[in-house]
Amino acid sequence: MEFHAHLAAYEQDETKAGCKKRSFSKTRLCRIRLMNDIPISVISGIIGLLLAASFSAILFRRIKFPYTIGLVLVGILLFVLGDQIRMLKVMQHIHLTPNIILYILLPTLIFDAAIHIDSRLLLKNLTPVLTLAAPGLVLATAVTGLIIAWLTPLSIGSAMLFGALISATDPVAVIALFKELGAPRRLTMLVDGESLFNDATAIVAFNIVMGIVAGGAWSAGVLASSALNFVVVFAGGTLVGAIIGYLMILIIRMAGNDPLIEIAFSTVVAYAAFILANYYMELSGVMAAVGAGMVVNYYSSTRLTPEVRQYLHQFWGYASFVANSFIFLLLGLTETYLARDLGSIPRLLGYVAAAVFAIMASRALIVFLLVPLLNRLPRAEPIDWKNQAVMFWGGLRGALPIGLAVSLAWDFPGRSLIIQLTLGVVLFTLLVQGTTIKWLMTRLKMNKPTLVDRIARLTALEAAFQGGLHRIDAVEKRFWQPAEENLQKLREQYRAAIDSTMRELNETRNSPSNIDRVRRTTLWLQANAVERKANVLLFEQGFLSENTFREMDYRTEVRRGLILKGEIPPPHVPSNPVMLRVRVLTTSLFERLLPNAAWTQLRIVRDRVIKLELAGAVRMSGNAVLAELPRFAPLCGASESMTEECRSHYQSTAHQALEQTQALAREYPVIFHDLQDRIVRRAALIAERDTVAKLQQDNAIPGTVAQGILNDLETQLDKASVYKSPFQ
């Protein structure tokens, strides 16, 4: 890699110079240092960059400046200081190379984005995301290429190649800002989802255009063949990644919920999927990483324990932080390309301005042309002009275009100008668009939380202050007797905070004309959250199978969307149409082909058990809402009529579920009684386990004794499971 080569040459020069001055007794040490080992400069350079990134994170967080954009400036500063400070001289030998981006940094960023993305929200917005990432990128490539060929000395082939590599967006700074401002979830998904997929389409388009330029033909047949190749590479990479991700999920069960082993497996999967698809199979490595990450994302909610999921997200969050830090620091260091020919700076700036105009024009075209067309589709959820404006201005460019640009052969026509244009465009989007996107969102009033969110925040603050006040009294009684004056002052501070929060909460609740609708919506959202929490608890305790839990989770998520749209009470949500069709199709197919096979009979029994579990889950989660309703209804500011409406709905739902359970019990008595027996046995064993765990926590029994009992109980719980739970 160029990164290693530059530092290795630098290290050897320094070592040889030092060895000439050393005594004979140190010659052996010098020879060892001249052997083919990792140069110390490589290690010190990496540590130095990480140190700079860490200090920069602290600084930019305090001054509220976009972190990733600030790192570009830090990278430029480090290069400039390299002429003045010898210790920083090594920084002038570090810059981005294709392999560093493609095979070290990019898999981390793609896999991290895939395992954290909201898969349901992505599926809901898949049409606009894929339209912008695939046809939109192709259109942007063509428009950018034509403008560049018109306004710069690049040939049409080189200009189209530049159009392909520069069309990939990298909205890391924008997404971080969205989180800070509390931007709408859908806007975040549209921007982040487009970036996730158009990295893949940009690489595929770049390779296709490169092949066409090498062949020297732009005929209709070549373009048609390229379009087919595009689909194969894109879909093939996704399939390869999904298979590797699923294999990891199957193998990971042998880890016994060991977070270190499971994190190691996830790292192998991220890089193995990318390298296998991109390097060995010539498919899309980005889509392979996306496919693997999406599969892990889907199954991690049911196959991994909450503790392991937390470790996994923390690890990949750190890995993403390091990768982004290195990318943007190296971007700043790599900007030295722009200073290679000082005599042509005015002419170069003119070409960069033309490139900026080209990418802005193409971005405006795909956003303001394609999105309004998508809004006209049947059952499409419109994307308003404010979201379109942010999507247009938030189309920043990052490291991938630079990696593709510097991967060009040294004798490629216009290579130097392509690299200079790429660096200029990336710098412009980061320093101009990245630093003004917050101003744009503020002017469009998109940084204000919704009324429901404001009420939820104030309600949470009031509850938190009440908890703090109660804890003061508990601590005083249990541990010490502080000075009464100090204690009274602290209590007064908490009471003042509670009074202030309650005043603001009441004003917020009572000010708008549609306040009843807001209170009603808040109440039903809270009820839906309690329902989902009950389902999670039932699954973690082994009372629900994985398929049943996913079905219940799907229903609560759909109901949440209906509540936000104002459909209260939410109507009955049928089964997940995709999963239901797959289940019905496979069962009916095996009933016809192999009616007496053991697997067919097992499948039939399993479907009946799922029906029983669904009815039981609806009843138990409904009862959980009824039990919690007196607690959260006053916090939501709900009137008695609103509370009664919610209570009646869940009472009716629980009653209907009970009747359905009884009907299924009469229809399938053997299955029902077996299921009921396992549930009762498991409930008793869970009570035993919790009791022993509590005794161990209170130091009432030795840890070794408690662990032995708990191990025996876990074995019995596995045998008594309705279905073997991945959490046990």
Side-chain angles (χ1 to χ4, degrees):
M1 291 189 298
E2 193 173 348
F3 173 81
H4 187 284
H6 275 279
L7 287 178
Y10 173 76
E11 174 72 11
Q12 286 190 6
D13 290 342
E14 293 292 307
T15 302
K16 290 176 181 177
C19 285
K20 290 179 181 178
K21 301 177 183 179
R22 293 179 185 270
S23 62
F24 178 78
S25 62
K26 296 185 179 179
T27 302
R28 179 179 176 83
L29 177 61
C30 291
R31 287 176 179 172
I32 292 175
R33 292 185 64 193
L34 288 172
M35 293 174 65
N36 290 328
D37 199 354
I38 298 177
I40 298 300
S41 296
V42 173
I43 300 173
S44 61
I46 292 173
I47 298 301
L49 289 176
L50 189 57
L51 181 64
S54 301
F55 276 117
S56 299
I58 297 173
L59 173 64
F60 294 128
R61 185 175 299 164
R62 291 195 173 187
I63 65 176
K64 296 183 178 180
F65 188 81
Y67 165 68
T68 52
I69 297 172
L71 286 180
V72 177
L73 300 177
V74 172
I76 296 174
L77 179 63
L78 288 175
F79 184 88
V80 173
L81 292 177
D83 291 328
Q84 311 297 327
I85 304 174
R86 181 174 178 79
M87 289 182 60
L88 298 179
K89 187 72 175 177
V90 65
M91 296 299 178
Q92 295 185 338
H93 297 265
I94 303 174
H95 53 79
L96 287 170
T97 65
N99 284 350
I100 289 177
I101 295 173
L102 289 180
Y103 294 107
I104 297 179
L105 302 177
L106 194 57
T108 296
L109 298 176
I110 296 297
F111 191 80
D112 173 67
I115 64 172
H116 284 96
I117 203 164
D118 187 336
S119 55
R120 286 196 183 93
L121 192 58
L122 175 63
L123 187 62
K124 189 177 179 180
N125 294 280
L126 196 59
T127 299
V129 165
L130 288 182
T131 301
L132 292 172
L137 184 134
V138 173
L139 179 61
T141 297
V143 172
T144 302
L146 291 173
I147 295 176
I148 290 297
W150 174 41
L151 297 177
T152 71
L154 291 177
S155 65
I156 185 65
S158 298
M160 285 296 176
L161 198 66
F162 172 76
L165 67 88
I166 203 63
S167 296
T169 58
D170 184 7
V172 174
V174 175
I175 296 300
L177 183 63
F178 284 175
K179 294 178 181 178
E180 176 188 337
L181 298 179
R185 291 175 64 226
R186 190 181 185 218
L187 175 61
T188 304
M189 173 56 65
L190 290 171
V191 175
D192 200 15
E194 179 195 359
S195 171
L196 187 64
F197 287 100
N198 74 8
D199 280 353
T201 53
I203 294 174
V204 175
F206 175 84
N207 291 330
I208 289 175
V209 174
M210 176 70 78
I212 295 175
V213 171
W218 289 85
S219 64
V222 171
L223 293 177
S225 175
S226 299
L228 178 61
N229 184 42
F230 180 93
V231 174
V232 171
V233 170
F234 192 88
T238 307
L239 180 61
V240 168
I243 292 173
I244 293 176
Y246 187 70
L247 289 176
M248 170 204 156
I249 292 297
L250 295 179
I251 296 172
I252 212 169
R253 288 189 171 186
M254 296 185 293
N257 293 326
D258 187 321
L260 299 180
I261 297 176
E262 295 181 8
I263 288 172
F265 269 119
S266 70
T267 307
V268 171
V269 164
Y271 283 90
F274 191 97
I275 295 172
L276 178 64
N278 196 77
Y279 188 79
Y280 292 101
M281 303 181 70
E282 296 186 353
L283 299 172
S284 173
V286 173
M287 287 312 302
V290 170
M294 293 293 289
V295 169
V296 173
N297 182 2
Y298 179 79
Y299 283 104
S300 64
S301 61
T302 54
R303 302 288 178 90
L304 304 180
T305 65
E307 293 79 10
V308 171
R309 288 201 303 272
Q310 183 179 2
Y311 280 121
L312 188 70
H313 288 168
Q314 288 176 346
F315 169 79
W316 282 103
Y318 168 73
S320 178
F321 165 78
V322 172
N324 272 316
S325 299
F326 273 75
I327 280 178
F328 287 96
L329 279 172
L330 292 175
L331 274 176
L333 292 168
T334 310
E335 290 295 331
T336 53
Y337 276 115
L338 287 174
R340 281 188 168 184
D341 188 0
L342 295 178
S344 64
I345 284 293
R347 179 171 57 87
L348 179 60
L349 290 178
Y351 293 152
V352 170
V356 170
F357 168 74
I359 64 112
M360 298 298 286
S362 62
R363 183 68 182 171
L365 185 64
I366 66 171
V367 171
F368 297 120
L369 174 64
L370 295 183
V371 172
L373 291 177
L374 292 172
N375 288 342
R376 295 176 177 270
L377 293 177
R379 302 175 63 182
E381 185 177 351
I383 303 172
D384 62 25
W385 70 271
K386 291 184 179 181
N387 285 308
Q388 292 178 38
V390 174
M391 291 168 65
F392 160 70
W393 196 246
L396 278 59
R397 270 59 171 182
L400 182 59
I402 294 178
L404 295 175
V406 298
S407 70
L408 296 173
W410 286 98
D411 58 350
F412 186 85
R415 179 182 187 270
S416 178
L417 183 56
I418 289 175
I419 292 175
Q420 291 168 340
L421 293 180
T422 303
L423 291 170
V425 168
V426 170
L427 194 63
F428 173 85
T429 60
L430 289 174
L431 299 185
V432 178
Q433 293 176 243
T435 56
T436 56
I437 189 73
K438 183 176 182 179
W439 172 85
L440 176 64
M441 294 183 66
T442 303
R443 290 299 299 268
L444 295 177
K445 298 181 179 180
M446 298 185 67
N447 60 333
K448 294 183 178 180
T450 63
L451 191 58
V452 172
D453 289 340
R454 293 206 305 272
I455 291 176
R457 177 181 178 275
L458 292 171
T459 301
L461 285 176
E462 192 272 338
F465 292 144
Q466 290 284 6
L469 187 60
H470 292 322
R471 183 59 58 86
I472 291 173
D473 296 335
V475 170
E476 178 192 16
K477 294 176 182 178
R478 181 173 296 183
F479 294 107
W480 73 84
Q481 292 290 335
E484 184 63 28
E485 181 180 351
N486 294 338
L487 194 63
Q488 188 61 28
K489 184 182 296 184
L490 187 58
R491 284 197 179 100
E492 289 175 357
Q493 291 175 355
Y494 267 93
R495 291 193 182 105
I498 292 171
D499 292 341
S500 174
T501 305
M502 286 303 299
R503 280 196 303 271
E504 186 178 355
L505 181 59
N506 291 329
E507 291 173 0
T508 305
R509 285 172 174 169
N510 299 324
S511 57
S513 57
N514 59 347
I515 190 59
D516 286 341
R517 180 182 62 82
V518 173
R519 290 179 176 179
R520 194 164 171 240
T521 301
T522 305
L523 175 69
W524 282 87
L525 286 174
Q526 184 62 40
N528 191 71
V530 171
E531 189 177 354
R532 187 184 186 281
K533 182 180 178 181
N535 291 327
V536 171
L537 183 62
L538 289 171
F539 172 71
E540 291 181 352
Q541 292 181 340
F543 296 151
L544 297 181
S545 65
E546 182 178 347
N547 289 334
T548 305
F549 170 71
R550 290 194 182 280
E551 183 64 45
M552 293 298 297
D553 199 46
Y554 166 80
R555 293 183 182 184
T556 53
E557 185 65 24
V558 172
R559 276 198 295 271
R560 184 179 184 277
L562 294 173
I563 292 169
L564 289 172
K565 289 181 179 179
E567 298 186 35
I568 300 175
H572 171 70
V573 177
S575 298
N576 186 337
V578 176
M579 300 305 296
L580 179 63
R581 288 171 189 165
V582 171
R583 191 165 67 239
V584 171
L585 180 63
T586 54
T587 302
S588 60
L589 182 64
F590 274 88
E591 278 187 298
R592 290 180 181 179
L593 298 178
L594 302 168
N596 298 320
W599 191 92
T600 303
Q601 298 302 316
L602 178 63
R603 183 74 187 186
I604 294 172
V605 171
R606 190 178 183 85
D607 287 347
R608 292 170 181 172
V609 169
I610 288 176
K611 290 181 180 179
L612 283 165
E613 284 186 328
L614 283 172
V618 169
R619 181 169 59 87
M620 287 186 282
S621 60
N623 288 334
V625 174
L626 293 173
E628 290 286 319
L629 186 60
R631 179 189 63 81
F632 65 77
L635 294 175
C636 298
S639 63
E640 185 58 37
S641 61
M642 296 177 189
T643 306
E644 183 58 33
E645 177 190 38
C646 185
R647 182 184 295 110
S648 299
H649 172 80
Y650 278 97
Q651 284 176 342
S652 175
T653 301
H655 181 69
Q656 291 175 8
L658 177 60
E659 290 181 342
Q660 185 181 5
T661 302
Q662 293 171 344
L664 290 169
R666 290 191 294 269
E667 187 175 358
Y668 313 118
V670 176
I671 297 175
F672 174 76
H673 290 302
D674 178 69
L675 182 64
Q676 192 177 50
D677 180 65
R678 293 192 184 192
I679 289 176
V680 173
R681 287 175 180 271
R682 188 168 179 81
L685 289 170
I686 288 174
E688 291 184 44
R689 182 192 63 184
D690 294 344
T691 302
V692 174
K694 182 67 167 58
L695 291 172
Q696 181 186 16
Q697 183 180 0
D698 295 340
N699 294 321
I701 56 176
T704 53
V705 174
Q707 196 58 49
I709 298 174
L710 289 173
N711 290 338
D712 292 340
L713 287 172
E714 292 295 339
T715 302
Q716 296 179 56
L717 281 168
D718 277 342
K719 294 179 180 179
S721 294
V722 179
Y723 286 103
K724 186 174 181 180
S725 171
F727 295 96
Q728 307 298 338

